[in-house]
Amino acid sequence: MNQEPIIETHNLSKIYGNQLAVNDLTFSIQEGEIFGFLGPNGSGKTTALLMLLGLTEPTKGWARVAGFDSTKEAIKVKKIVGYIPENIGFYDDMNAIQNLQFIARLNNMPDSVSSIKIEEALESVRLKEEAEKKVGAYSRGMRQRLGLAEIFIKEPRIAFLDEPTLGLDPEGTNWIIDYIQSLSRDKNITILLSSHDLKQVQKISDRIGIMLKGRMIAVGSIEKLAKEKLGVDDKEISLDDIYMKYFQEEAV
Amino acid sequence: MTGIGPIFRKELADHFSSYRFIILFALIAMVSLITTYMVGISLREELGGVAKPKFVFLMLFTSTGPLFSLVQFVAFFGPLIGLMLGFDSINRERSSGTLSRLAAQPIYRDSIINGKFLSGVATISIILISILLVVSGLGLKLIGVVPGFEEVWRIFLYLIISIFYISFWLGISILFSIVFRGIATSALATLAIWIFFSFFVSMGASVVANAIIPLDQSTREDTEMLMRHIRIQRIVSLISPMQLYNDSTAIIIDPTRKTTRSLVLMGPLERLSSERFRRPLSLSQSIYIVIPHIISLIAITFICFGVSYAVFMKQEIRST
Ligand SMILES: Nc1ncnc2c1ncn2[C@@H]1O[C@H](COP(=O)(O)OP(=O)(O)O)[C@@H](O)[C@H]1O
Ligand SMILES: [Mg+2]
């Protein structure tokens, strides 16, 4: 663990009006990790991801991704990061192939290369049968899978996945979680996975960071957090316990 | 300018496959053909037996048939083409959640609006060129006169100015789609600004002129004062791109004109001058007169594009 972290932030903060969305966030992720980025709704996860990707400017602090400054070298960061926004949107009147091809073109991928990869990707996310259907007719789960197909095609060094399991049934959730693990394992993609549900991500996360009101209140492997924060076995740990513990510590 | 190519191509395909475009195109084609047909028929009757005047082919575009001339139609309806092509270009991407995915690709953010603007300009050009070609063909058949070299040049210049004019409206509508989050809001706002410039600027101009030089019994008889009143009115109305466009195309496509003033607003002496009908302006003289107008038209297009840039680059990209 003495190599340069692939993602690093320092006092990263974002203020909207008088609302502190992200507050002095300092953390780092090593290459190859699956990092669970946890926290309830409104805790600042999406805002932090947007700043990491250069889509919004930090009010204070900085972020570096693979050595590039997220604000000043946003294009270089975007070249090596695949991003699935929360509530992912596609062009509803285009089919899956057309949607993916458009993104491939924006990444400077020649059509001859992308058409092969698109086929492979759709196969791997089990959308081959529906490839020619307009995406407007897709279910939520299918859309999330199509988003993952985009990551499969781009093969980025890092993937930011913002609540990819939001609103899915347990079966769909499990499938997505397993698929993310395979992306990490087979393609060696570093994964920053945001979620508000610890249970969903604890199976695959090497480490987790817990956000609350814009602050990262705890970070580490799940076992370490369970032992240090709660003194329990990691099987029983839940986010609510950690929040409780945190508030108790604050109160002291 | 990475990313502009794929965005341009996608937007162009979107335009040409949309119902919006098909309906718009059908409407314009229909009105143009009917207008040309009526004007062509009446020109043929009027000119039967008489020696043909020099620029008879251009009269196809400038003669008012029973309703309006083709040039008037484009001036009035053209803005709607630009507005319809752009009013939802950014806010639709935002509300459907595609904007954040698009902005997360390794492209410059300005490529998004550049690509959209250029594809709109290409669409506008294709509409205008095809309409002009069809109208010219039909006119040729109806009046049986082949346009002269200078007439072709004038039609070409008219086309270029018209593309700029409609692109200005496209720029306005893209700006509104950036500023307003709701698609219905931006649609209403574009309509409002179109109505404002179509109707209220000319009204406002006469109000301003009246305030500075009231037209009463004494000033009405004083030609000097009357002229000044009219001049003020004209200067104020030049803030309207429609006025800029009307004035410049009138000179280009109607060579018998000498000033950018329309006939009714012309001073009494000018109106009486018969020279106007004897020696039409040369092409270079016409261009010389309208250059300032064209530059203003291009300038306001760029200003509104610059504002779009500034707003869009600062804006939060978020899917929720
Ligand atoms: N554009 C914005 N303007 C004002 N406040 C915002 C904006 N975006 C997010 N916020 C606020 O910032 C906080 C963090 O939001 P977000 O990053 O979306 O949290 P999460 O992704 O963890 O649910 C929330 O309180 C939210 O209301
Ligand atoms: Mg979020």
Side-chain angles (χ1 to χ4, degrees):
Chain A
M1 287 276 274
N2 28 11
Q3 72 199 100
E4 279 273 296
I6 194 163
I7 295 173
E8 195 180 2
T9 71
H10 182 78
N11 286 349
L12 193 65
S13 308
K14 180 78 188 184
I15 301 173
Y16 289 115
N18 55 5
Q19 164 107 34
L20 245 164
V22 174
N23 188 2
D24 277 341
L25 179 64
T26 303
F27 79 116
S28 59
I29 298 177
Q30 296 297 323
E31 178 133 40
E33 267 192 299
I34 297 182
F35 188 90
F37 198 40
L38 291 153
N41 287 330
S43 58
K45 305 180 297 291
T46 300
T47 309
L49 289 180
L50 290 175
M51 288 191 285
L52 280 171
L53 204 52
L55 289 182
T56 187
E57 269 187 39
T59 313
K60 199 185 85 188
W62 51 258
R64 291 179 81 76
V65 175
F68 301 120
D69 186 289
S70 292
T71 311
K72 294 182 198 117
E73 299 166 292
I75 297 260
K76 287 181 180 154
V77 172
K78 289 170 187 170
K79 266 199 186 116
I80 52 164
V81 175
Y83 171 54
I84 304 193
E86 119 187 82
N87 299 318
I88 186 164
F90 293 94
Y91 297 107
D92 283 349
D93 47 2
M94 304 197 320
N95 66 29
I97 298 172
Q98 291 164 332
N99 266 290
L100 293 175
Q101 194 173 46
F102 178 56
I103 296 296
R105 285 177 183 158
L106 290 175
N107 282 280
N108 265 324
M109 202 181 276
D111 285 358
S112 55
V113 177
S114 68
S115 57
I116 299 166
K117 282 199 168 184
I118 287 170
E119 201 167 318
E120 256 182 86
L122 288 173
E123 173 104 63
S124 89
V125 298
R126 302 195 301 189
L127 284 175
K128 208 169 178 208
E129 313 280 271
E130 285 92 355
E132 313 255 339
K133 249 194 215 164
K134 296 227 155 110
V135 176
Y138 274 26
S139 72
R140 200 176 176 101
M142 289 160 79
R143 283 165 173 265
Q144 299 289 13
R145 267 145 55 203
L146 189 54
L148 289 170
E150 208 175 291
I151 306 282
F152 183 100
I153 293 164
K154 190 169 173 179
E155 290 192 46
R157 275 176 73 188
I158 308 157
F160 294 167
L161 311 176
D162 198 354
E163 310 243 14
T165 56
L166 192 69
L168 300 189
D169 57 18
E171 198 186 330
T173 302
N174 285 336
W175 191 90
I176 295 238
I177 291 295
D178 289 344
Y179 189 85
I180 292 170
Q181 189 169 33
S182 76
L183 279 178
S184 152
R185 197 180 46 220
D186 303 340
K187 300 199 176 237
N188 194 28
I189 300 174
T190 306
I191 296 202
L192 177 50
L193 171 60
S194 116
S195 172
H196 62 271
D197 188 347
L198 176 62
K199 288 217 173 55
Q200 291 181 355
V201 303
Q202 68 177 349
K203 195 170 105 190
I204 59 166
S205 297
D206 299 311
R207 284 193 309 143
I208 57 171
I210 297 170
M211 297 287 289
L212 193 60
K213 297 189 176 156
R215 287 181 171 278
M216 192 174 272
I217 58 166
V219 60
S221 69
I222 295 173
E223 296 130 56
K224 182 185 146 215
L225 286 183
K227 281 216 184 70
E228 285 177 9
K229 285 260 171 195
L230 303 168
V232 293
D233 181 29
D234 64 279
K235 295 274 166 354
E236 289 160 37
I237 188 174
S238 81
L239 270 187
D240 290 336
D241 295 336
I242 293 184
Y243 299 147
M244 289 293 280
K245 184 82 182 170
Y246 175 79
F247 285 127
Q248 280 163 12
E249 280 172 10
E250 283 281 276
V252 174
Chain B
M1 279 296 160
T2 9
I4 202 165
I7 294 174
F8 175 82
R9 270 156 67 193
K10 175 188 164 294
E11 291 294 317
L12 204 60
D14 282 355
H15 282 320
F16 279 91
S17 58
S18 70
Y19 284 117
R20 198 189 300 177
F21 170 82
I22 294 166
I23 292 170
L24 208 57
F25 193 86
L27 190 68
I28 299 168
M30 197 173 67
V31 173
S32 314
L33 286 179
I34 293 174
T35 310
T36 314
Y37 185 75
M38 299 221 227
V39 170
I41 294 284
S42 68
L43 273 181
R44 187 164 63 183
E45 275 166 14
E46 277 171 35
L47 298 175
V50 198
K52 298 225 160 59
K54 192 168 174 211
F55 291 117
V56 64
F57 198 78
L58 292 181
M59 289 167 93
L60 263 182
F61 298 88
T62 52
S63 308
T64 32
L67 299 167
F68 40 68
S69 73
L70 210 57
V71 168
Q72 284 170 334
F73 173 63
V74 173
F76 179 75
F77 199 74
L80 276 187
I81 304 176
L83 296 176
M84 296 251 286
L85 290 177
F87 75 92
D88 62 346
S89 53
I90 297 293
N91 51 14
R92 183 175 296 279
E93 300 246 13
R94 189 188 298 282
S95 64
S96 67
T98 48
L99 188 61
S100 52
R101 239 171 83 260
L102 200 54
Q105 306 308 320
I107 55 171
Y108 292 108
R109 207 188 269 195
D110 47 0
S111 305
I112 299 174
I113 36 179
N114 286 338
K116 283 176 181 279
F117 184 73
L118 288 180
S119 75
V121 173
T123 309
I124 291 165
S125 310
I126 291 166
I127 295 179
L128 285 181
I129 290 171
S130 46
I131 295 295
L132 274 184
L133 286 179
V134 170
V135 162
S136 300
L138 180 65
L140 208 70
K141 212 164 157 40
L142 284 175
I143 56 175
V145 178
V146 180
F149 182 68
E150 188 182 328
E151 281 176 300
V152 172
W153 262 110
R154 285 181 183 271
I155 294 174
F156 178 73
L157 281 175
Y158 169 74
L159 173 71
I160 300 292
I161 300 173
S162 302
I163 291 173
F164 267 108
Y165 172 62
I166 300 179
S167 299
F168 161 75
W169 292 99
L170 175 70
I172 286 274
S173 67
I174 290 180
L175 173 62
F176 282 10
S177 83
I178 292 171
V179 174
F180 298 110
R181 301 286 164 121
I183 294 169
T185 319
S186 62
L188 269 179
T190 50
L191 270 184
I193 201 154
W194 176 62
I195 290 171
F196 173 79
F197 280 126
S198 301
F199 303 109
F200 292 111
V201 169
S202 54
M203 271 195 238
S206 59
V207 169
V208 171
N210 270 329
I212 298 174
I213 299 172
L215 278 191
D216 49 36
Q217 210 52 44
S218 62
T219 46
R220 232 179 263 280
E221 277 152 24
D222 185 345
T223 325
E224 181 80 0
M225 292 294 259
L226 197 64
M227 297 279 277
R228 227 194 283 166
H229 178 93
I230 289 167
R231 206 167 297 137
I232 291 168
Q233 198 171 340
R234 269 188 37 75
I235 288 169
V236 173
S237 65
L238 275 184
I239 64 163
S240 158
M242 282 156 173
Q243 197 65 40
L244 284 173
Y245 173 75
N246 283 336
D247 285 1
S248 49
T249 50
I251 288 283
I252 287 294
I253 205 130
D254 185 359
T256 48
R257 291 243 196 159
K258 281 276 161 82
T259 70
T260 53
R261 298 164 206 207
S262 67
L263 203 55
V264 271
L265 288 182
M266 213 175 278
L269 287 174
E270 271 173 293
R271 207 180 308 177
L272 285 175
S273 151
S274 59
E275 188 193 42
R276 178 173 182 284
F277 299 100
R278 235 180 269 138
R279 262 193 305 128
L281 284 178
S282 75
L283 182 58
S284 55
Q285 280 170 318
S286 300
I287 293 176
Y288 182 74
I289 294 179
V290 299
I291 278 284
H293 290 73
I294 297 175
I295 289 176
S296 314
L297 205 55
I298 295 175
I300 52 174
T301 308
F302 276 99
I303 288 172
C304 117
F305 205 61
V307 175
S308 302
Y309 252 49
V311 177
F312 188 57
M313 296 310 242
K314 286 266 158 232
Q315 231 173 25
E316 183 84 4
I317 303 281
R318 192 187 272 260
S319 52
T320 44

